[in-house]
Amino acid sequence: MFTTRPTLQGTFGMVSSTHWLASQSAMAVLEDGGNAYDAAVAGAFVLHVVEPHLNGPAGEVPILLAPAGGEVRVLCGQGVAPAGATIEHYRALGLDLVPGTGPLAAAVPGAFDAWMLLLRDHGTKSLADVLKYAIGYAEDGHACVENVGATVETVRELFETEWTTSADVYLPDGKSPRPGELFRNPALAATWQRLLAEVAGAGDREAQIEAAREVWRSGFIAEALIRQAGRPTMDTSGERHTGTLTAADLASWSASYEAPATYDWNGWTLCKAGPWSQGPVLLQQLALLPTELPVYGSADYVHLLIEGCKLAMADREAWYGDADAVPLDDLLSAEYNAARRRLIDGKASHELRPGSPGGLAPRLCEHARVVAPAEPGFDPMGAGEPTVARLTADGGTRGDTCHLDVVDRWGNMIAATPSGGWLQSNPVVPELGFPLGTRLQMTWLEAGLPNSLAPGRRPRTTLTPSIALRGGVPVLAFGTPGGDQQDQWQLHFFLAVATRATARGGLDLQGAIDAPNWHNDSFPGSFYPRGMRPGSVTVESRMDGAVVEELRRRGHDVTVGDAWSEGRLCAVARDPEAGILSAAANPRGMQGYAVGR
């Protein structure tokens, strides 16, 4: 089939990310003798610089890593709710939802510590070696992609009147970053330079990394973050609030390792983060598939995937979160999914239908029970585009994020989805050059739910990287930005890879990424103000018109979006028998690139 680019193939190393500078920086680390984990850390810190509207150091990141010859592990870089972040506190402020912006929405920052833990435990390079690329682009400048300036222009009034420290960085001389002009963030460069100077005398490589973690937790970085959290800040509620983050919250939290959630399907094993993420949604969608799939790309095929997604997402709302007992084994069981599969017929469902795994009664939040409408001004044609998919003048956004995959010549593999700490999420911390995150907006201010706001509990994140195994061996790492759309787009991508042969040999990664994609919004959104559109489907205009009309006949409320608007996937793969590595990246948005040799 036609593809926008070839699937890259080589034997030395492959990188795919949502920005070409991050991809090439990670590749430079591989060329310098580093492994996949060194490369990923370098690329991640470059993403903070070149995609500041999509992620930052004070955001979060789930990481799936598959060391050569080892077990797949999840490295959780999702911080928890601070000790003072109680439902009672937010309700006392007159709030029904956690604001989409501002310090009240800030969890304990998780991304930095996760990258440090990865570098310490699995990398080989020094902290200075991996940070030099980000420091260079922040200090000397880089040519911004168009959406950085577009994001700043959308929140210009907020920056100029309220978040003036952000205006200092992103509106120097009153001008937003422009394509083709160098943009610098000297405060961010100075932060990393000071960090390196403070840890230089700590000892060997690992000691310096540990010292950097302490600076983040309790040194000058922590002090600046706490000062910022305590400043009254205008947020999406229309009021100024201070946050709940304290020095004790920062000092007591650490990124951590855990086993992945897995599901076996047709000889593949899919690995995801646990139900504190939406990762098991992909596993549930696979479990709901019949033994024989309809013809790829047909109306039957698209209808089946949409309806299965609705059922999995309904279960996400009723069961997923960082609570003590999420019945994941039951949710993935053959008996449960056989019963759920019978709910899928020839018509589009407009209901939110969670199941009863293990005979337990599902409980939905009040917001879902009243079928909250989509937010005013909601543009379904733009909802699928993750590079500032939906941004309002108060900074409210719909799932902006990055992704990064690496495989090296030794067979080490990693998939990571960094997000949060966006330039539009909170004011820039003036001493540091980056803002706090807003992940707490995904929790509910209603007690007794798996995803209720609670101190020490992780908000259920939409971030969901993937690693797939064949015969117990990791062979594929992939993921995408896109909030609630991530595991919808990933399902279609994975099925395209797993079920379609390529005459060239190997996995047709680029063809699977380029194929027309779609998503639905028939469940409460994860981002403020948590709207949903029952029965909705947004498709790319490249989808066969006959398929679109058949979907409408079956009751789907179909919106036809732009030709290249659904998905922003990255992927790398490894064929252990042939010794071939491969990679591909999404052409949508024209900034994701794969590199390798």
Side-chain angles (χ1 to χ4, degrees):
M1 65 172 289
F2 167 79
T3 60
T4 57
R5 310 164 180 175
T7 294
L8 304 185
Q9 292 187 323
T11 58
F12 179 81
M14 290 284 163
V15 181
S16 180
S17 87
T18 48
H19 195 289
W20 61 84
L21 292 179
S23 295
Q24 189 53 50
S25 297
M27 191 67 203
V29 174
L30 294 181
E31 296 284 4
D32 194 42
N35 66 19
Y37 309 115
D38 298 311
V41 176
F45 278 86
V46 171
L47 285 173
H48 298 158
V49 178
V50 300
E51 291 193 313
H53 58 312
L54 305 178
N55 78 138
E60 45 275 325
V61 58
I63 300 169
L64 266 67
L65 59 150
E71 297 292 323
V72 176
R73 299 291 287 169
V74 176
L75 177 50
C76 174
Q78 174 58 66
V80 299
T86 64
I87 292 174
E88 294 74 21
H89 174 66
Y90 287 66
R91 290 287 190 179
L93 296 173
L95 299 171
D96 295 321
L97 293 172
V98 177
T101 61
L104 270 181
V108 177
F112 179 87
D113 196 62
W115 291 120
M116 291 300 100
L117 209 60
L118 179 71
L119 184 65
R120 185 197 71 184
D121 296 342
H122 298 278
T124 65
K125 293 290 188 179
S126 71
L127 184 57
D129 285 338
V130 296
L131 283 182
K132 66 183 180 183
Y133 305 94
I135 291 172
Y137 288 126
E139 184 172 38
D140 301 327
H142 67 283
C144 281
V145 295
E146 184 177 355
N147 275 324
V148 176
T151 302
V152 174
E153 282 300 318
T154 306
V155 290
R156 172 184 282 273
E157 182 178 355
L158 178 68
F159 281 14
E160 291 179 335
T161 60
E162 295 283 346
W163 297 8
T164 56
T165 58
S166 296
D168 292 341
V169 174
Y170 291 104
L171 288 168
D173 301 320
K175 297 180 180 179
S176 60
R178 299 179 182 181
E181 296 181 2
L182 286 179
F183 174 75
R184 298 175 174 85
N185 188 341
L188 179 57
T191 295
W192 300 143
Q193 288 165 334
R194 179 178 174 183
L195 175 70
L196 291 175
E198 290 197 6
V199 306
D204 62 11
R205 188 188 78 90
E206 292 185 11
Q208 290 185 17
I209 295 169
E210 277 301 296
R213 297 178 72 203
E214 286 307 308
V215 170
W216 181 273
R217 286 197 186 103
S218 58
F220 78 94
I221 294 176
E223 292 168 358
L225 291 173
I226 298 307
R227 281 194 296 271
Q228 185 63 46
R231 294 184 177 114
T233 300
M234 179 65 70
D235 59 38
T236 51
S237 73
E239 303 290 337
R240 295 181 184 88
H241 294 114
T242 57
T244 61
L245 187 67
T246 67
D249 295 317
L250 273 174
S252 61
W253 185 84
S254 171
S256 58
Y257 294 98
E258 59 188 56
T262 63
Y263 185 76
D264 294 331
W265 182 83
N266 283 13
W268 294 80
T269 299
L270 270 292
C271 300
K272 302 289 283 186
W276 53 268
S277 76
Q278 74 172 4
V281 162
L282 179 58
L283 309 184
Q284 282 198 253
Q285 289 178 97
L286 288 171
L288 283 163
L289 294 176
T291 303
E292 295 293 329
L293 291 177
V295 174
Y296 176 89
S298 66
D300 286 341
Y301 179 85
V302 178
H303 174 78
L304 174 69
L305 267 57
I306 292 169
E307 294 304 300
C309 174
K310 291 175 185 177
L311 294 175
M313 284 296 199
D315 279 344
R316 184 192 75 164
E317 290 310 308
W319 301 108
Y320 288 22
D322 195 24
D324 292 335
V326 177
L328 191 56
D329 288 343
D330 288 320
L331 289 168
L332 294 175
S333 69
E335 180 182 15
Y336 177 79
N337 283 283
R340 296 284 278 166
R341 195 178 302 120
R342 289 193 289 271
L343 297 176
I344 301 175
D345 55 24
K347 294 295 184 181
S349 170
H350 289 236
E351 300 177 58
L352 194 65
R353 300 182 290 178
S356 300
L360 301 172
R363 181 180 174 190
L364 294 171
C365 66
E366 183 66 31
H367 198 76
R369 292 197 296 272
V370 299
V371 190
E375 61 263 37
F378 179 80
D379 177 9
M381 293 183 68
E385 178 53 54
T387 51
V388 190
R390 165 68 180 150
L391 180 64
T392 55
D394 58 8
T397 189
R398 287 176 55 83
D400 309 288
T401 252
C402 305
H403 189 78
L404 174 70
D405 300 310
V406 188
V407 60
D408 64 29
R409 62 188 185 273
W410 300 288
N412 300 303
M413 187 175 285
I414 183 170
T417 310
S419 187
W422 310 307
L423 68 85
Q424 67 273 20
S425 64
N426 259 301
V428 166
V429 183
E431 306 93 325
L432 303 178
F434 59 84
L436 286 163
T438 55
R439 194 59 58 171
L440 290 187
Q441 68 179 290
M442 297 185 170
T443 61
W444 296 112
L445 298 181
E446 183 178 342
L449 302 169
N451 194 32
S452 298
L453 178 67
R457 181 184 285 183
R458 292 171 288 191
R460 188 194 68 217
T461 181
T462 53
L463 307 174
T464 172
S466 303
I467 284 182
L469 289 68
R470 290 279 281 177
V473 178
V475 296
L476 177 64
F478 61 99
T480 179
D484 296 312
Q485 289 81 39
Q486 289 182 31
D487 282 311
Q488 302 186 55
W489 293 333
Q490 289 188 63
L491 175 68
H492 184 208
F493 164 81
F494 173 72
L495 290 177
V497 168
T499 62
R500 301 173 71 195
T502 169
R504 186 180 178 190
L507 302 178
D508 184 16
L509 302 184
Q510 194 65 51
I513 288 173
D514 288 354
N517 218 320
W518 62 84
H519 81 274
N520 82 91
D521 295 296
S522 298
F523 46 85
S526 294
F527 294 90
Y528 180 92
R530 315 300 297 271
M532 61 179 169
R533 299 170 57 231
S536 68
V537 180
T538 303
V539 305
E540 291 181 326
S541 62
R542 294 181 295 127
M543 182 177 282
D544 187 332
V547 172
V548 172
E549 289 309 308
E550 176 60 19
L551 291 175
R552 286 175 171 154
R553 191 191 68 79
R554 296 184 185 198
H556 296 279
D557 180 9
V558 181
T559 297
V560 179
D562 292 338
W564 296 91
S565 56
E566 291 287 316
R568 198 162 165 239
L569 283 141
C570 299
V572 300
R574 171 176 174 260
D575 183 337
E577 294 183 2
I580 299 294
L581 309 178
S582 56
N586 172 54
R588 301 163 179 88
M590 294 186 292
Q591 67 185 69
Y593 275 86
V595 296
R597 72 169 177 88

